[in-house]
Amino acid sequence: MPGTTTQLIRAALIAGLAAAVIEMVFVLPIQASLGHSPMLVFQSIASGVSGTAAYSGGIGSALAGVGWHVLISLVSAGCYVAAATRLPFLYARPLIGGLLCGLIAYAVMSWIVLPLSALGYAPTTKPLMMLLSFSIHLFGFGIPIAYVARWQMRPL
């Protein structure tokens, strides 16, 4: 496993951006089926910081939500890459590492980030929504981070 700082930063950036996009590939159609536009989805993300004002902030709030979503994905990928340099099984077994990454991301978002947000969201208690959210965190977020990070961290 390579360890140059440039390569690790690149791995975190590319893995984080990939995860941000892949997660939304799953989230946006599900939210659309519930009657929520992409703008509302991203305003909801922004509302975690700016509260209810995000819903009247138009495209600016939606873009802020995109920014927060990407930032969270980049930080998650950076943490994964940093952990993989110290825990070689994360690099060697990206499926296991990705599932762990997704599990941790789901737990942190559900039980720390959302309750502490400006609106104090409570995690959903609807079984189907919980399963969808959990599955998206595993397969649309954690696993892409692990595989893209491994691909970018490979020896050149």
Side-chain angles (χ1 to χ4, degrees), residues 91-104:
Y91 177 82
R93 305 267 191 262
L95 180 60
I96 294 169
L99 291 172
L100 286 171
C101 178
L103 174 67
I104 292 167

Side-chain angles (χ1 to χ4, degrees), residues 108-124:
V108 169
M109 289 303 295
S110 295
W111 296 308
I112 298 172
V113 174
L114 292 178
L116 293 176
S117 71
L119 293 182
Y121 288 107
T124 184

Side-chain angles (χ1 to χ4, degrees), residues 52-141:
T52 57
Y55 296 108
S56 59
I59 191 73
S61 290
L63 290 173
V66 170
W68 284 112
H69 174 67
V70 170
L71 178 64
I72 290 167
S73 298
L74 291 171
V75 169
S76 297
C79 290
Y80 185 87
V81 167
T85 64
R86 290 160 182 81
L87 302 169
F89 81 91
L90 294 175
Y91 177 82
R93 305 267 191 262
L95 180 60
I96 294 169
L99 291 172
L100 286 171
C101 178
L103 174 67
I104 292 167
Y106 176 81
V108 169
M109 289 303 295
S110 295
W111 296 308
I112 298 172
V113 174
L114 292 178
L116 293 176
S117 71
L119 293 182
Y121 288 107
T124 184
T125 56
K126 297 177 183 175
L128 179 59
M129 293 309 291
M130 288 174 67
L131 179 62
L132 282 172
S133 180
F134 185 67
S135 298
I136 290 168
H137 278 89
L138 293 180
F139 301 109
F141 191 76

Side-chain angles (χ1 to χ4, degrees), residues 24 49 51 60 118 155:
M24 283 300 133
V49 174

